[in-house]
Amino acid sequence: MSPTQSQPALYLSKVERRYPQGDSFLDVLRGADLAIWPGEIVALVAPSGTGKSTLLHVAGLLERPDGGEVFVGSKPTASMNDQERTRIRREDLGFVYQFHHLLPEFSALENVVIPQLIRGLPKAEAQERGRQLLTFLGLGKRLDHRPGELSGGEQQRVAIARAVANAPRLLLADEPTGNLDPHTADRVFQTLVAIVRASKLAALIATHNMDLAARMDRRVTIRDGLIVQLP
């Protein structure tokens, strides 16, 4: 596969993942297939214990599949060494979790700048991009505030800005609004959609909020170790 606009940002092909359980194995993914395209937001709505976290970890190169292949853009990743997988995570993937995991001793802007510095961007360029992202997300007047001085919704918007600061190909989000009240969750979700549409990245968002899931481009679930499209 060569990089083209019509190429999926993420493509899981016949992915298998199993874990030791006593004298046998627990098969969580049993040949799962999934393609997510640039600019597309896909909801992952799966009950606890069906493999949601496993799927996100495999897609995010945090776990290796036991079978099948995970393509990030044109790159097959299953046989990459740890250094190569780390580079793909740093350059092509962004992560947002239920809890923001911001660095408490740094400002909102610094939290967004640090991942860019780690990637090797010049400080001035990283700061300017950080300002632009935070301003786009409605936090232009909160750049110098530390996480403890921000509301829950503001903290999560900073986490979103941090996740997309390195212009990833794919955004993976695990219950990004699960720790927020309904009004704040809706605002954060609108922010997430806006940044995905503006950046043309792809997003896989795990959520138990069916109202939010219904507003995404499509919904998938995990059933008997396979990824199934929902109506």
Side-chain angles (χ1 to χ4, degrees), residues 74-110:
S74 63
K75 304 162 189 167
T77 63
S79 62
M80 284 183 173
N81 62 36
D82 290 341
Q83 184 177 3
E84 291 171 320
R85 289 165 67 84
T86 298
R87 180 179 58 80
I88 295 294
R89 283 198 302 271
R90 184 174 62 241
E91 296 180 0
D92 290 338
L93 303 176
F95 300 88
V96 181
Y97 300 98
Q98 180 173 350
F99 300 100
H100 55 77
H101 298 299
L102 298 174
L103 299 173
E105 65 272 28
F106 293 99
S107 70
L109 178 59
E110 289 168 335

Side-chain angles (χ1 to χ4, degrees), residues 1-9 37-38 71-76 169:
M1 291 189 293
S2 60
T4 68
Q5 275 300 104
S6 60
Q7 173 183 287
W37 303 85
F71 292 90
V72 177
S74 63
K75 304 162 189 167
R169 184 188 299 269

Side-chain angles (χ1 to χ4, degrees), residues 38-212:
E40 183 181 37
I41 306 174
V42 177
L44 172 59
V45 288
S48 298
T50 57
K52 173 178 65 70
S53 294
T54 295
L55 176 60
L56 289 172
H57 288 167
V58 170
L61 309 190
L62 298 171
E63 295 184 24
R64 292 182 184 271
D66 294 301
E69 185 58 89
V70 178
F71 292 90
V72 177
S74 63
K75 304 162 189 167
T77 63
S79 62
M80 284 183 173
N81 62 36
D82 290 341
Q83 184 177 3
E84 291 171 320
R85 289 165 67 84
T86 298
R87 180 179 58 80
I88 295 294
R89 283 198 302 271
R90 184 174 62 241
E91 296 180 0
D92 290 338
L93 303 176
F95 300 88
V96 181
Y97 300 98
Q98 180 173 350
F99 300 100
H100 55 77
H101 298 299
L102 298 174
L103 299 173
E105 65 272 28
F106 293 99
S107 70
L109 178 59
E110 289 168 335
N111 267 278
V112 179
V113 166
I114 288 170
Q116 301 177 73
L117 297 181
I118 292 172
R119 187 175 177 179
L121 266 68
K123 186 174 182 180
E125 182 179 340
Q127 288 178 327
E128 178 58 24
R129 177 163 174 80
R131 289 190 193 96
Q132 290 176 355
L133 279 170
L134 289 169
T135 299
F136 179 81
L137 299 181
L139 296 169
K141 296 182 179 180
R142 311 289 273 172
L143 301 180
D144 297 324
H145 289 66
R146 293 185 180 183
E149 301 170 310
L150 303 174
S151 70
E154 288 171 336
Q155 291 170 347
Q156 200 64 323
R157 280 184 279 159
V158 175
I160 292 169
R162 179 184 59 185
V164 301
N166 282 330
R169 184 188 299 269
L170 173 69
L171 181 67
L172 297 168
D174 191 0
E175 298 288 349
T177 64
N179 200 37
L180 305 173
D181 65 81
H183 175 76
T184 305
D186 184 71
R187 185 171 183 185
V188 168
F189 176 73
Q190 290 178 16
T191 296
L192 197 55
V193 170
I195 202 76
V196 168
R197 301 300 189 210
S199 305
K200 300 296 184 188
L201 55 84
L204 177 62
I205 302 176
T207 182
H208 284 107
N209 188 322
M210 298 306 293
D211 291 334
L212 295 185

